[in-house]
Amino acid sequence: MTVRVSLGDRSYDIRIENGALDRAGDLLADYAARGRFIVITDKNIVPNQLYRLETSLTAAGIASAVEVLPPGESTKSWKMLEKLTDALLNYGVERGDTIIALGGGVIGDLVGFAASILKRGCRFVQVPTTLLSQVDSSVGGKTAINSKAGKNLIGAFYQPVHVLIDPTTLDSLPPRELRAGYAEVIKYGLIDDAAFFGWCEANGGRLLAGDPEARTHAITASVGAKARIVGEDERETSGRRALLNLGHTFGHALEAETGFSDRLLHGEAVAAGMALAFRFSTKLGLCPAEDAARVTAHIAATGLPATLQAAGIEASGAKLVAHMLHDKKMAGGRLPFLLARGIGQTFLDKTVDLALVERFLDEERGAS
């Protein structure tokens, strides 16, 4: 299955194929300038996926150098960006070379940003190995590192030349990470596809249990939705792409409160954030209570946090809102919120009173 991201002369394909990693040498041969790739990964990927990629490249007669980084959100830092760019320069990377990002969202974000600034722009290919990166972060060209002020505040829009998705890489993914990625799958149904959310309610358990058909369907549907939205609004200038941030304003505040640590994975924070967004929309009289209840119930049923308590958050509404003020989407002193009129009816609101958000979060904190 191939999905096209249509961006004029920067358009690229997303290939979704079981076993694609074992055929990567043939599938990516056209990008092997000077007959080589530079592969960037993290140490968690090495035991299960790096060997598959290297074996495939060798069989196709393509040389590869490998740089292994530490896993985890802390890798998206100035320190690691400097280490990576120095390593790439030591490998003698030229603008015509292609860097492969093999891993989850952290590796994809960091490598993409490094590629965007190294020698004013080098080619890179995304080979995502987690559900979250396969359905979301590997597509669309958002690259970034974190700073002390917040998550993803330093980065660039920089598109890959190809995305290669092999759903079999999910076989070795820990259940918690698989669930965290599933939050982003749910998101596409909540944005503008109520029927897909219904599919998630009926089939999410199959996906999480490893059913190949459910897994491939979810990835293809999610990638197709994101490719369509990115093609319409690559840099969030019209507001259309902003819909992809559903749950992220609340979610990033929760991540900041937990120090962007493994206490709360990104997908877990987004899951809680989406449930909060729907319940807040109900509080404002925008969304039917039964729709918010469905969203909360499905998120909780998959083992994801749907409340502040389930996410382990005890902070006051004021503290969480203070985290939101560092959001990169702030404009003119206003913070846009993704709200909903119902499942599949998400919209952007730039007039939300943060005092109401604070009061709502305090009520949520005290809820049983």
Side-chain angles (χ1 to χ4, degrees):
M1 172 69 68
T2 300
V3 176
R4 184 76 168 169
V5 181
S6 298
L7 294 168
D9 59 1
R10 291 173 295 104
S11 297
Y12 56 95
D13 287 333
I14 306 161
R15 188 181 185 95
I16 306 159
E17 177 186 317
N18 286 306
L21 195 58
D22 303 304
R23 299 204 309 117
D26 294 330
L27 296 174
L28 300 178
D30 289 347
Y31 304 106
R34 295 195 289 165
R36 71 166 189 170
F37 286 116
I38 311 296
V39 180
I40 314 299
T41 190
D42 72 50
K43 70 177 185 179
N44 285 349
I45 305 300
V46 172
N48 296 306
Q49 314 304 345
L50 180 59
Y51 175 77
R52 296 174 65 189
L53 176 60
E54 288 187 302
T55 299
S56 176
L57 296 180
T58 299
I62 300 171
S64 61
V66 178
E67 184 73 17
V68 179
L69 301 177
E73 192 71 25
S74 61
T75 295
K76 285 173 54 174
S77 66
W78 282 113
K79 180 180 178 180
M80 284 298 164
L81 178 66
E82 181 180 22
K83 177 182 178 180
L84 176 57
T85 51
D86 282 347
L88 290 169
L89 291 171
N90 287 337
Y91 286 127
V93 169
E94 297 179 359
R95 293 180 72 179
D97 286 331
T98 301
I99 304 164
I100 294 180
L102 175 69
V106 168
I107 288 295
D109 282 2
L110 175 65
V111 173
F113 186 39
S116 77
I117 59 177
L118 193 71
K119 298 192 173 180
R120 298 190 177 91
C122 295
R123 300 189 306 184
F124 84 110
V125 168
Q126 290 270 22
V127 183
T129 59
T130 66
L131 183 58
L132 190 150
S133 59
Q134 288 178 356
V135 302
D136 189 70
S137 62
S138 67
V139 178
K142 279 189 175 181
T143 71
I145 59 171
N146 302 330
S147 74
K148 292 179 181 178
K151 186 180 176 72
N152 296 332
L153 295 180
I154 301 157
F157 287 96
Y158 192 69
Q159 302 293 342
V161 294
H162 192 83
V163 180
L164 186 65
I165 297 176
D166 183 348
T168 68
T169 62
L170 304 181
D171 292 340
S172 60
L173 201 65
R176 185 186 178 196
E177 287 195 31
L178 191 64
R179 288 194 301 270
Y182 180 63
E184 297 282 2
V185 175
I186 297 171
K187 179 185 73 176
Y188 293 105
L190 297 179
I191 289 173
D192 64 358
D193 192 344
F196 183 58
F197 180 73
W199 181 91
C200 290
E201 289 178 301
N203 297 281
R206 290 174 54 216
L207 183 155
L208 293 172
D211 181 86
E213 182 182 358
R215 197 163 55 183
T216 300
H217 177 78
I219 293 169
T220 303
S222 300
V223 164
K226 184 160 190 181
R228 171 173 46 83
I229 292 173
V230 169
E232 295 171 3
D233 181 21
E234 180 185 6
R235 294 173 177 261
E236 291 187 9
T237 54
S238 73
R240 177 66 176 157
R241 182 167 181 170
L243 297 179
L244 295 169
N245 294 321
L246 176 63
H248 286 62
T249 299
F250 284 111
H252 282 173
L254 306 187
E255 285 185 277
E257 180 60 23
T258 56
F260 300 105
S261 69
D262 287 346
R263 282 178 52 197
L264 190 68
L265 300 180
H266 174 68
E268 294 170 338
V270 169
M274 290 189 296
L276 288 168
F278 268 77
R279 292 200 295 273
F280 184 52
S281 297
T282 295
K283 183 79 173 177
L284 296 176
L286 298 168
C287 176
E290 55 267 31
D291 280 19
R294 276 180 66 191
V295 173
T296 297
H298 182 56
I299 288 172
T302 61
L304 288 163
T307 64
L308 293 178
Q309 293 84 354
I313 303 297
E314 299 178 353
S316 67
K319 190 174 183 184
L320 293 175
V321 167
H323 288 310
M324 293 178 184
L325 296 178
H326 293 292
D327 196 295
K328 59 185 175 296
K329 297 181 289 296
M330 284 284 291
R334 285 284 186 177
L335 179 58
F337 274 80
L338 272 300
L339 302 177
R341 296 187 178 90
I343 292 171
Q345 300 177 64
T346 298
F347 69 99
L348 184 67
D349 190 333
K350 299 181 180 180
T351 66
V352 173
D353 185 344
L354 289 180
L356 293 178
V357 177
E358 181 179 327
R359 191 177 312 143
F360 164 74
L361 289 170
D362 280 332
E363 292 172 356
E364 286 278 320
R365 185 167 60 117
S368 58

